[in-house]
Amino acid sequence: MGGAYTKTPIDLSSGKGAFGDKKAFNVKTMLISIPQLGLPVALYWLGSHFVSASVGLAFVAGAGMIGFAFRNPVFQLIEKIYKSEKYATIDAYKQKG
């Protein structure tokens, strides 16, 4: 979903790192990626800290199954975001510099 908000082209031939260009940093993308990274860690920590490591793994597995159950509505939401952002992205790619 974060890719819909990326408005800077990626130079694949450049030797810079992934965040080498300061224009490539996007706060919206960062805010969207925090739950993607932090939620599984938080679920595992909650289960393993209060009960056992197996419960923490069960929490993460349960979240994965919930994700599979709601994948179609989530993909429809992502598609809607991409459709609404496509013209802004095309305009951003047309501008050089």
Side-chain angles (χ1 to χ4, degrees):
M1 185 183 304
Y5 298 111
T6 303
K7 302 291 189 253
T8 55
I10 300 169
D11 184 11
L12 297 176
S13 63
S14 175
K16 294 181 182 178
F19 297 104
D21 187 10
K22 293 189 191 279
K23 293 188 310 183
F25 182 76
N26 189 342
V27 175
K28 279 186 181 178
T29 305
M30 184 187 72
L31 290 175
I32 289 172
S33 66
I34 288 173
Q36 293 172 345
L37 297 171
L39 184 63
V41 172
L43 288 174
Y44 177 76
W45 181 82
L46 283 172
S48 65
H49 183 71
F50 292 112
V51 184
S52 70
S54 298
V55 172
L57 292 173
F59 282 178
V60 174
M65 287 190 268
I66 291 170
F68 277 123
F70 289 105
R71 74 176 177 254
N72 288 335
V74 170
F75 278 125
Q76 289 173 353
L77 175 66
I78 292 170
E79 182 180 351
K80 183 179 174 183
I81 291 170
Y82 271 103
K83 284 181 178 180
S84 69
E85 292 288 323
K86 71 180 174 183
Y87 294 113
T89 304
I90 290 169
D91 287 339
Y93 281 135
K94 286 181 181 178
Q95 295 175 2
K96 301 283 183 182

Coordinates of all heavy atoms in Angstrom, one line a residue:
M1 N 0.8 -1.2 0.0 CA 0.0 0.0 0.0 C 0.9 1.2 0.0 O 0.5 2.3 -0.6 CB -0.9 0.0 1.2 CG -1.9 1.1 1.2 SD -3.0 1.2 2.7 CE -3.8 -0.3 2.7
G2 N 2.0 1.2 0.6 CA 2.9 2.3 0.7 C 3.4 2.7 -0.7 O 3.8 3.9 -0.9
G3 N 3.5 1.8 -1.6 CA 4.0 2.2 -2.9 C 3.1 3.2 -3.7 O 3.6 3.8 -4.6
A4 N 1.8 3.3 -3.3 CA 0.9 4.2 -3.9 C 1.3 5.6 -3.6 O 1.0 6.5 -4.4 CB -0.5 3.9 -3.5
Y5 N 2.0 5.8 -2.6 CA 2.4 7.2 -2.1 C 3.8 7.6 -2.5 O 4.3 8.6 -2.2 CB 2.2 7.4 -0.6 CG 0.8 7.2 -0.2 CD1 0.4 6.1 0.5 CD2 -0.2 8.1 -0.6 CE1 -0.9 5.9 0.9 CE2 -1.5 7.9 -0.2 CZ -1.9 6.8 0.5 OH -3.2 6.6 0.9
T6 N 4.6 6.6 -3.2 CA 5.9 6.9 -3.6 C 5.9 7.7 -4.9 O 5.4 7.2 -5.9 CB 6.7 5.6 -3.8 OG1 6.7 4.9 -2.5 CG2 8.2 5.9 -4.1
K7 N 6.4 8.9 -4.9 CA 6.3 9.8 -6.1 C 7.7 10.0 -6.7 O 7.8 10.8 -7.6 CB 5.7 11.1 -5.7 CG 4.3 11.0 -5.1 CD 3.3 10.5 -6.1 CE 1.9 10.7 -5.5 NZ 1.3 9.4 -5.2
T8 N 8.7 9.3 -6.2 CA 10.0 9.6 -6.8 C 10.5 8.3 -7.6 O 10.3 7.2 -7.1 CB 11.0 9.9 -5.7 OG1 11.0 8.8 -4.7 CG2 10.7 11.2 -5.0
P9 N 11.0 8.5 -8.8 CA 11.5 7.3 -9.5 C 12.7 6.8 -8.9 O 13.5 7.5 -8.2 CB 11.8 7.9 -10.9 CG 11.8 9.4 -10.8 CD 11.1 9.7 -9.5
I10 N 12.9 5.5 -9.1 CA 14.1 4.8 -8.5 C 15.1 4.6 -9.6 O 14.8 4.1 -10.7 CB 13.6 3.4 -7.9 CG1 12.6 3.6 -6.8 CG2 14.8 2.6 -7.4 CD1 11.9 2.3 -6.4
D11 N 16.3 5.0 -9.3 CA 17.4 4.9 -10.3 C 18.1 3.5 -10.0 O 18.9 3.4 -9.0 CB 18.4 6.0 -10.2 CG 19.5 5.9 -11.2 OD1 19.4 5.1 -12.1 OD2 20.5 6.7 -11.1
L12 N 17.8 2.5 -10.7 CA 18.3 1.2 -10.5 C 19.8 1.0 -10.8 O 20.5 0.1 -10.3 CB 17.5 0.1 -11.2 CG 16.0 0.0 -10.9 CD1 15.4 -1.0 -11.8 CD2 15.9 -0.4 -9.4
S13 N 20.3 2.0 -11.6 CA 21.7 1.9 -12.0 C 22.6 2.6 -11.0 O 23.8 2.6 -11.1 CB 21.9 2.4 -13.4 OG 21.6 3.8 -13.4
S14 N 22.0 3.3 -10.0 CA 22.8 4.1 -9.1 C 23.4 3.2 -8.0 O 22.8 2.2 -7.6 CB 21.9 5.1 -8.4 OG 22.5 5.8 -7.4
G15 N 24.5 3.6 -7.5 CA 25.2 2.9 -6.5 C 24.8 3.3 -5.1 O 25.3 2.7 -4.1
K16 N 23.8 4.2 -5.0 CA 23.4 4.7 -3.7 C 22.5 3.6 -3.0 O 22.0 2.7 -3.7 CB 22.5 5.9 -3.8 CG 23.3 7.1 -4.3 CD 22.3 8.3 -4.4 CE 23.0 9.5 -4.9 NZ 22.1 10.7 -5.1
G17 N 22.4 3.7 -1.7 CA 21.5 2.8 -1.0 C 20.0 3.1 -1.2 O 19.7 4.0 -2.0
A18 N 19.2 2.3 -0.6 CA 17.7 2.5 -0.8 C 17.2 3.8 -0.4 O 16.3 4.4 -1.0 CB 17.0 1.4 0.0
F19 N 17.9 4.4 0.6 CA 17.4 5.8 1.1 C 18.5 6.8 0.8 O 18.6 7.8 1.5 CB 17.1 5.7 2.6 CG 15.9 4.8 2.9 CD1 16.2 3.6 3.5 CD2 14.7 5.2 2.6 CE1 15.1 2.8 3.7 CE2 13.6 4.4 2.9 CZ 13.8 3.1 3.5
G20 N 19.3 6.6 -0.3 CA 20.4 7.5 -0.6 C 19.9 8.9 -1.0 O 20.5 9.9 -0.8
D21 N 18.7 9.0 -1.7 CA 18.2 10.2 -2.1 C 17.2 10.7 -1.1 O 16.3 10.1 -0.7 CB 17.5 10.0 -3.5 CG 17.0 11.3 -4.1 OD1 17.4 12.4 -3.6 OD2 16.3 11.2 -5.1
K22 N 17.4 12.0 -0.6 CA 16.5 12.5 0.4 C 15.1 12.7 -0.1 O 14.2 12.7 0.7 CB 17.1 13.8 0.9 CG 18.4 13.6 1.7 CD 18.8 14.9 2.4 CE 20.2 14.9 2.9 NZ 20.4 14.2 4.1
K23 N 14.9 12.9 -1.4 CA 13.6 13.0 -1.9 C 12.8 11.7 -1.9 O 11.6 11.7 -2.0 CB 13.6 13.5 -3.4 CG 14.1 14.9 -3.5 CD 14.0 15.5 -4.9 CE 14.5 14.5 -6.0 NZ 14.5 15.0 -7.3
A24 N 13.5 10.6 -1.8 CA 12.8 9.3 -1.8 C 12.2 9.0 -0.4 O 11.4 8.1 -0.3 CB 13.8 8.2 -2.1
F25 N 12.5 9.8 0.6 CA 11.9 9.5 1.9 C 10.5 10.1 2.0 O 10.3 11.2 1.6 CB 12.8 10.2 3.0 CG 12.3 10.0 4.4 CD1 12.5 8.8 5.0 CD2 11.6 11.0 5.1 CE1 12.0 8.6 6.3 CE2 11.1 10.8 6.3 CZ 11.4 9.6 6.9
N26 N 9.6 9.3 2.4 CA 8.2 9.7 2.3 C 7.6 9.3 3.7 O 7.6 8.2 4.1 CB 7.5 8.9 1.2 CG 6.1 9.4 1.0 OD1 5.5 10.1 1.8 ND2 5.5 9.1 -0.2
V27 N 7.0 10.3 4.4 CA 6.5 10.1 5.7 C 5.3 9.2 5.7 O 5.1 8.3 6.5 CB 6.1 11.5 6.4 CG1 5.5 11.3 7.7 CG2 7.4 12.3 6.6
K28 N 4.4 9.3 4.7 CA 3.2 8.5 4.6 C 3.6 7.0 4.5 O 3.1 6.1 5.1 CB 2.4 8.8 3.3 CG 1.5 10.0 3.5 CD 0.6 10.2 2.3 CE -0.3 11.3 2.4 NZ -1.1 11.5 1.2
T29 N 4.6 6.7 3.6 CA 5.1 5.4 3.4 C 5.7 4.8 4.8 O 5.4 3.7 5.1 CB 6.2 5.3 2.3 OG1 5.6 5.9 1.1 CG2 6.6 3.9 2.0
M30 N 6.4 5.7 5.5 CA 7.0 5.2 6.7 C 5.9 4.9 7.7 O 5.9 3.9 8.4 CB 7.9 6.3 7.3 CG 8.6 5.9 8.6 SD 9.6 7.2 9.3 CE 8.3 8.2 10.0
L31 N 4.9 5.8 7.8 CA 3.8 5.6 8.8 C 3.0 4.3 8.4 O 2.5 3.6 9.3 CB 2.9 6.8 8.8 CG 3.5 8.0 9.5 CD1 2.5 9.2 9.4 CD2 3.9 7.8 10.9
I32 N 2.9 4.0 7.2 CA 2.1 2.8 6.8 C 3.0 1.5 7.1 O 2.4 0.5 7.5 CB 1.8 2.8 5.3 CG1 0.7 3.9 5.1 CG2 1.3 1.5 4.7 CD1 0.4 4.2 3.6
S33 N 4.3 1.6 7.0 CA 5.1 0.5 7.2 C 5.3 0.1 8.7 O 5.7 -1.0 9.0 CB 6.5 0.6 6.5 OG 7.2 1.7 7.1
I34 N 5.2 1.1 9.6 CA 5.4 0.8 11.0 C 4.4 -0.3 11.5 O 4.9 -1.2 12.2 CB 5.2 2.1 11.8 CG1 6.4 3.0 11.6 CG2 5.1 1.8 13.3 CD1 6.3 4.4 12.2
P35 N 3.1 -0.3 11.3 CA 2.3 -1.4 11.7 C 2.7 -2.7 11.1 O 2.5 -3.8 11.7 CB 0.9 -1.0 11.3 CG 0.9 0.5 11.1 CD 2.3 0.8 10.7
Q36 N 3.1 -2.7 9.8 CA 3.5 -3.9 9.1 C 4.7 -4.5 9.8 O 4.8 -5.8 9.8 CB 3.8 -3.6 7.7 CG 2.6 -3.2 6.8 CD 3.0 -2.7 5.4 OE1 4.2 -2.5 5.2 NE2 2.0 -2.6 4.6
L37 N 5.6 -3.8 10.3 CA 6.7 -4.3 11.0 C 6.5 -4.5 12.5 O 6.9 -5.5 13.1 CB 7.9 -3.3 10.8 CG 8.4 -3.1 9.4 CD1 9.4 -1.9 9.4 CD2 9.0 -4.3 8.9
G38 N 5.8 -3.6 13.1 CA 5.6 -3.7 14.6 C 4.5 -4.6 15.1 O 4.6 -5.1 16.2
L39 N 3.5 -4.7 14.3 CA 2.3 -5.6 14.8 C 2.7 -7.0 15.1 O 2.4 -7.5 16.2 CB 1.2 -5.5 13.8 CG -0.1 -6.2 14.3 CD1 -0.7 -5.6 15.6 CD2 -1.2 -6.2 13.2
P40 N 3.4 -7.7 14.2 CA 3.8 -9.1 14.5 C 4.7 -9.2 15.7 O 4.6 -10.1 16.5 CB 4.5 -9.6 13.2 CG 4.0 -8.7 12.1 CD 3.7 -7.4 12.8
V41 N 5.6 -8.2 15.8 CA 6.6 -8.2 16.9 C 5.8 -8.0 18.2 O 6.0 -8.6 19.3 CB 7.7 -7.1 16.7 CG1 8.5 -7.0 18.0 CG2 8.5 -7.5 15.5
A42 N 4.9 -7.0 18.2 CA 4.1 -6.7 19.4 C 3.2 -7.9 19.8 O 3.1 -8.2 21.0 CB 3.2 -5.5 19.2
L43 N 2.6 -8.6 18.8 CA 1.8 -9.8 19.1 C 2.6 -10.9 19.8 O 2.2 -11.5 20.7 CB 1.0 -10.3 17.9 CG -0.1 -9.4 17.4 CD1 -0.6 -9.9 16.0 CD2 -1.2 -9.4 18.4
Y44 N 3.8 -11.1 19.2 CA 4.6 -12.2 19.7 C 5.1 -11.8 21.1 O 5.1 -12.6 22.0 CB 5.8 -12.4 18.8 CG 6.8 -13.4 19.4 CD1 6.5 -14.8 19.4 CD2 8.0 -13.0 20.1 CE1 7.3 -15.7 19.9 CE2 8.8 -13.9 20.6 CZ 8.5 -15.3 20.6 OH 9.3 -16.2 21.1
W45 N 5.4 -10.5 21.3 CA 5.9 -10.1 22.7 C 4.8 -10.3 23.7 O 5.1 -10.7 24.8 CB 6.4 -8.7 22.6 CG 6.9 -8.2 23.9 CD1 8.1 -8.4 24.5 CD2 6.1 -7.5 24.9 NE1 8.2 -7.9 25.7 CE2 7.0 -7.3 26.0 CE3 4.8 -7.0 25.0 CZ2 6.6 -6.6 27.2 CZ3 4.4 -6.3 26.1 CH2 5.3 -6.1 27.2
L46 N 3.6 -9.9 23.3 CA 2.5 -10.0 24.3 C 2.2 -11.4 24.7 O 2.1 -11.7 25.9 CB 1.2 -9.4 23.7 CG 1.1 -7.9 23.7 CD1 -0.1 -7.5 22.9 CD2 1.0 -7.3 25.1
G47 N 2.2 -12.3 23.7 CA 1.9 -13.7 24.0 C 3.1 -14.3 24.8 O 2.9 -15.1 25.7
S48 N 4.3 -14.1 24.4 CA 5.4 -14.7 25.0 C 5.7 -14.1 26.4 O 6.2 -14.8 27.3 CB 6.7 -14.7 24.1 OG 7.1 -13.3 24.0
H49 N 5.5 -12.8 26.6 CA 5.8 -12.2 27.8 C 4.8 -12.6 28.9 O 5.2 -12.8 30.1 CB 5.8 -10.7 27.6 CG 6.1 -9.9 28.9 ND1 7.4 -9.9 29.4 CD2 5.4 -9.2 29.7 CE1 7.4 -9.1 30.5 NE2 6.2 -8.7 30.7
F50 N 3.5 -12.7 28.6 CA 2.5 -13.0 29.6 C 2.2 -14.5 29.7 O 1.8 -14.9 30.8 CB 1.2 -12.2 29.3 CG 1.4 -10.7 29.5 CD1 1.3 -9.9 28.4 CD2 1.6 -10.2 30.7 CE1 1.5 -8.5 28.6 CE2 1.8 -8.8 30.9 CZ 1.7 -8.0 29.8
V51 N 2.4 -15.3 28.7 CA 2.1 -16.7 28.8 C 3.3 -17.5 28.5 O 4.1 -18.0 29.3 CB 0.9 -17.1 27.9 CG1 0.5 -18.5 28.1 CG2 -0.3 -16.2 28.2
S52 N 3.6 -17.8 27.2 CA 4.7 -18.5 26.7 C 5.0 -18.2 25.3 O 4.2 -17.6 24.6 CB 4.5 -20.0 26.9 OG 3.5 -20.5 25.9
A53 N 6.2 -18.7 24.8 CA 6.6 -18.4 23.4 C 5.6 -19.0 22.4 O 5.4 -18.5 21.4 CB 8.0 -18.9 23.2
S54 N 5.1 -20.1 22.8 CA 4.1 -20.8 21.9 C 2.8 -20.0 21.7 O 2.3 -19.9 20.6 CB 3.7 -22.2 22.4 OG 4.8 -23.0 22.5
V55 N 2.4 -19.3 22.7 CA 1.2 -18.4 22.7 C 1.6 -17.2 21.8 O 0.7 -16.8 21.0 CB 0.7 -18.0 24.1 CG1 -0.4 -17.0 24.0 CG2 0.3 -19.2 24.8
G56 N 2.8 -16.7 21.9 CA 3.2 -15.6 21.1 C 3.2 -16.0 19.6 O 2.7 -15.2 18.8
L57 N 3.7 -17.2 19.3 CA 3.6 -17.6 17.9 C 2.2 -17.9 17.5 O 1.9 -17.6 16.3 CB 4.5 -18.9 17.8 CG 6.0 -18.8 18.0 CD1 6.6 -20.1 18.0 CD2 6.5 -17.9 16.9
A58 N 1.4 -18.4 18.3 CA -0.1 -18.6 18.0 C -0.7 -17.2 17.7 O -1.6 -17.2 16.8 CB -0.8 -19.3 19.1
F59 N -0.4 -16.2 18.4 CA -1.0 -14.9 18.2 C -0.6 -14.4 16.8 O -1.4 -13.9 16.0 CB -0.5 -13.8 19.2 CG -1.2 -13.9 20.5 CD1 -0.8 -13.0 21.5 CD2 -2.2 -14.8 20.8 CE1 -1.5 -13.0 22.7 CE2 -2.9 -14.8 22.0 CZ -2.5 -13.9 23.0
V60 N 0.7 -14.6 16.4 CA 1.2 -14.1 15.1 C 0.5 -15.0 14.0 O 0.0 -14.4 13.0 CB 2.7 -14.2 15.0 CG1 3.2 -13.9 13.6 CG2 3.4 -13.3 16.0
A61 N 0.4 -16.3 14.2 CA -0.3 -17.1 13.3 C -1.8 -16.8 13.1 O -2.3 -16.8 12.0 CB -0.2 -18.6 13.7
G62 N -2.4 -16.4 14.2 CA -3.8 -16.0 14.2 C -4.0 -14.7 13.4 O -5.0 -14.6 12.6
A63 N -3.1 -13.8 13.6 CA -3.1 -12.5 12.8 C -3.0 -12.8 11.3 O -3.6 -12.2 10.5 CB -2.1 -11.6 13.3
G64 N -2.1 -13.8 11.0 CA -1.9 -14.2 9.6 C -3.2 -14.8 9.0 O -3.5 -14.5 7.9
M65 N -3.9 -15.6 9.8 CA -5.1 -16.2 9.3 C -6.2 -15.1 9.1 O -7.0 -15.2 8.2 CB -5.6 -17.3 10.2 CG -4.7 -18.6 10.1 SD -5.4 -19.9 11.0 CE -4.6 -19.8 12.6
I66 N -6.2 -14.2 10.0 CA -7.2 -13.1 9.9 C -6.9 -12.3 8.6 O -7.7 -11.8 7.9 CB -7.2 -12.2 11.1 CG1 -7.8 -12.9 12.3 CG2 -7.9 -10.8 10.9 CD1 -7.6 -12.2 13.7
G67 N -5.6 -12.1 8.3 CA -5.1 -11.4 7.1 C -5.6 -12.1 5.9 O -6.0 -11.5 4.9
F68 N -5.5 -13.5 5.9 CA -6.0 -14.2 4.7 C -7.5 -14.1 4.6 O -8.0 -14.0 3.5 CB -5.6 -15.7 4.9 CG -4.2 -16.0 4.4 CD1 -3.3 -16.6 5.2 CD2 -3.8 -15.7 3.1 CE1 -2.0 -16.9 4.8 CE2 -2.6 -16.0 2.6 CZ -1.7 -16.6 3.5
A69 N -8.2 -14.1 5.7 CA -9.7 -14.0 5.6 C -10.1 -12.6 5.1 O -11.1 -12.6 4.4 CB -10.2 -14.1 7.0
F70 N -9.4 -11.6 5.3 CA -9.8 -10.2 4.9 C -8.9 -9.7 3.7 O -8.9 -8.5 3.4 CB -9.7 -9.2 6.0 CG -10.7 -9.4 7.1 CD1 -10.4 -10.0 8.3 CD2 -12.0 -9.1 6.8 CE1 -11.3 -10.2 9.2 CE2 -13.0 -9.2 7.8 CZ -12.6 -9.8 9.0
R71 N -8.3 -10.6 3.0 CA -7.4 -10.2 1.9 C -8.1 -9.5 0.7 O -7.6 -8.6 0.2 CB -6.5 -11.3 1.4 CG -7.2 -12.4 0.6 CD -6.2 -13.4 0.0 NE -6.9 -14.4 -0.7 CZ -7.1 -15.6 -0.3 NH1 -6.7 -16.0 0.9 NH2 -7.8 -16.5 -1.0
N72 N -9.3 -10.0 0.4 CA -10.0 -9.4 -0.7 C -10.5 -8.0 -0.5 O -10.2 -7.1 -1.3 CB -11.2 -10.3 -1.1 CG -10.8 -11.6 -1.8 OD1 -9.7 -11.6 -2.4 ND2 -11.6 -12.6 -1.7
P73 N -11.1 -7.7 0.7 CA -11.4 -6.3 1.0 C -10.2 -5.4 1.1 O -10.2 -4.2 0.6 CB -12.1 -6.3 2.3 CG -12.6 -7.7 2.5 CD -11.6 -8.6 1.7
V74 N -9.1 -5.9 1.6 CA -7.8 -5.1 1.7 C -7.3 -4.8 0.3 O -6.9 -3.7 0.0 CB -6.8 -5.8 2.6 CG1 -5.4 -5.1 2.5 CG2 -7.3 -5.9 4.0
F75 N -7.3 -5.8 -0.6 CA -6.8 -5.6 -2.0 C -7.7 -4.6 -2.7 O -7.2 -3.8 -3.5 CB -6.7 -6.9 -2.7 CG -5.4 -7.6 -2.5 CD1 -5.4 -9.0 -2.0 CD2 -4.2 -7.0 -2.6 CE1 -4.2 -9.6 -1.8 CE2 -3.0 -7.7 -2.4 CZ -3.0 -9.0 -1.9
Q76 N -9.0 -4.6 -2.4 CA -9.9 -3.7 -3.1 C -9.6 -2.3 -2.6 O -9.6 -1.3 -3.3 CB -11.4 -4.0 -2.8 CG -11.8 -5.3 -3.5 CD -13.2 -5.7 -3.1 OE1 -13.8 -5.2 -2.1 NE2 -13.7 -6.7 -3.8
L77 N -9.2 -2.1 -1.3 CA -8.8 -0.8 -0.7 C -7.5 -0.4 -1.4 O -7.4 0.8 -1.8 CB -8.7 -0.9 0.8 CG -8.1 0.3 1.5 CD1 -9.1 1.5 1.4 CD2 -7.8 0.0 2.9
I78 N -6.6 -1.3 -1.5 CA -5.3 -0.9 -2.1 C -5.5 -0.5 -3.6 O -4.9 0.5 -4.1 CB -4.3 -2.1 -2.0 CG1 -3.9 -2.3 -0.6 CG2 -3.1 -1.8 -2.9 CD1 -3.1 -3.5 -0.3
E79 N -6.4 -1.2 -4.3 CA -6.7 -0.9 -5.7 C -7.3 0.5 -5.8 O -6.9 1.3 -6.7 CB -7.6 -1.9 -6.3 CG -7.9 -1.7 -7.7 CD -8.9 -2.8 -8.2 OE1 -9.1 -3.8 -7.5 OE2 -9.4 -2.6 -9.4
K80 N -8.2 0.8 -4.9 CA -8.8 2.1 -4.9 C -7.8 3.3 -4.6 O -7.8 4.3 -5.3 CB -9.9 2.2 -3.8 CG -10.7 3.4 -3.7 CD -11.7 3.3 -2.6 CE -12.4 4.6 -2.4 NZ -13.4 4.6 -1.2
I81 N -6.9 3.0 -3.7 CA -5.8 4.0 -3.4 C -4.9 4.2 -4.7 O -4.6 5.3 -5.0 CB -5.0 3.6 -2.2 CG1 -5.8 3.7 -1.0 CG2 -3.7 4.5 -2.1 CD1 -5.2 3.1 0.3
Y82 N -4.5 3.1 -5.3 CA -3.7 3.2 -6.5 C -4.4 4.0 -7.6 O -3.8 4.8 -8.3 CB -3.2 1.9 -7.0 CG -2.0 1.4 -6.4 CD1 -1.9 0.4 -5.4 CD2 -0.7 1.9 -6.8 CE1 -0.8 0.0 -4.9 CE2 0.5 1.4 -6.3 CZ 0.4 0.5 -5.3 OH 1.6 0.1 -4.8
K83 N -5.7 3.7 -7.8 CA -6.5 4.4 -8.8 C -6.6 5.9 -8.5 O -6.5 6.8 -9.4 CB -7.9 3.8 -9.0 CG -7.8 2.5 -9.7 CD -9.2 1.9 -9.9 CE -9.2 0.6 -10.6 NZ -10.5 0.1 -10.8
S84 N -6.7 6.3 -7.3 CA -6.8 7.7 -6.9 C -5.5 8.4 -7.0 O -5.5 9.6 -7.2 CB -7.5 7.9 -5.5 OG -6.6 7.4 -4.5
E85 N -4.4 7.7 -6.8 CA -3.1 8.3 -6.8 C -2.3 8.3 -8.2 O -1.3 8.8 -8.3 CB -2.2 7.7 -5.7 CG -2.6 8.0 -4.3 CD -2.4 9.4 -3.9 OE1 -1.3 9.9 -4.3 OE2 -3.2 9.9 -3.2
K86 N -2.9 7.6 -9.1 CA -2.2 7.3 -10.4 C -1.8 8.6 -11.1 O -0.7 8.6 -11.6 CB -2.9 6.3 -11.2 CG -4.1 6.8 -11.9 CD -4.7 5.7 -12.8 CE -6.0 6.2 -13.4 NZ -6.7 5.2 -14.1
Y87 N -2.6 9.5 -11.2 CA -2.3 10.7 -12.0 C -1.3 11.6 -11.3 O -0.4 12.1 -11.9 CB -3.6 11.5 -12.3 CG -4.5 10.8 -13.2 CD1 -5.8 10.4 -12.7 CD2 -4.2 10.5 -14.5 CE1 -6.6 9.7 -13.6 CE2 -5.0 9.8 -15.3 CZ -6.2 9.4 -14.9 OH -7.1 8.7 -15.7
A88 N -1.3 11.6 -10.0 CA -0.3 12.4 -9.2 C 1.1 11.7 -9.4 O 2.1 12.4 -9.5 CB -0.7 12.5 -7.8
T89 N 1.1 10.4 -9.4 CA 2.3 9.6 -9.6 C 2.9 9.8 -11.0 O 4.1 10.1 -11.1 CB 2.1 8.1 -9.3 OG1 1.5 8.0 -8.0 CG2 3.4 7.4 -9.4
I90 N 2.0 9.8 -12.0 CA 2.5 10.0 -13.4 C 3.0 11.4 -13.5 O 4.1 11.6 -14.1 CB 1.3 9.7 -14.4 CG1 1.0 8.2 -14.4 CG2 1.7 10.3 -15.7 CD1 -0.3 7.9 -15.1
D91 N 2.4 12.4 -13.0 CA 2.9 13.8 -13.0 C 4.2 13.9 -12.3 O 5.1 14.6 -12.8 CB 1.9 14.8 -12.4 CG 0.7 15.0 -13.3 OD1 0.7 14.7 -14.5 OD2 -0.4 15.4 -12.8
A92 N 4.4 13.2 -11.2 CA 5.7 13.3 -10.5 C 6.8 12.6 -11.2 O 7.9 13.1 -11.3 CB 5.5 12.6 -9.1
Y93 N 6.5 11.5 -11.9 CA 7.5 10.9 -12.7 C 7.9 11.7 -14.0 O 9.0 11.6 -14.4 CB 7.1 9.5 -13.1 CG 7.2 8.4 -12.0 CD1 6.2 7.5 -11.8 CD2 8.3 8.3 -11.3 CE1 6.3 6.6 -10.8 CE2 8.4 7.4 -10.3 CZ 7.4 6.5 -10.0 OH 7.5 5.6 -9.1
K94 N 7.0 12.5 -14.5 CA 7.3 13.3 -15.7 C 8.2 14.4 -15.4 O 9.0 14.9 -16.2 CB 6.0 13.8 -16.3 CG 5.2 12.8 -17.0 CD 4.0 13.4 -17.6 CE 3.1 12.4 -18.4 NZ 1.9 13.0 -18.9
Q95 N 8.2 14.9 -14.1 CA 9.1 16.0 -13.8 C 10.5 15.5 -13.5 O 10.7 14.6 -12.7 CB 8.6 16.7 -12.5 CG 7.2 17.3 -12.7 CD 6.7 17.9 -11.4 OE1 7.3 17.9 -10.4 NE2 5.5 18.5 -11.5
K96 N 11.5 16.0 -14.2 CA 12.9 15.7 -14.0 C 13.5 16.7 -13.1 O 13.7 17.8 -13.5 CB 13.6 15.6 -15.4 CG 13.0 14.6 -16.3 CD 13.4 13.2 -16.0 CE 12.8 12.2 -17.0 NZ 13.1 10.9 -16.8
G97 N 13.9 16.3 -11.9 CA 14.7 17.2 -11.1 C 13.7 18.0 -10.3 O 13.5 18.6 -9.5

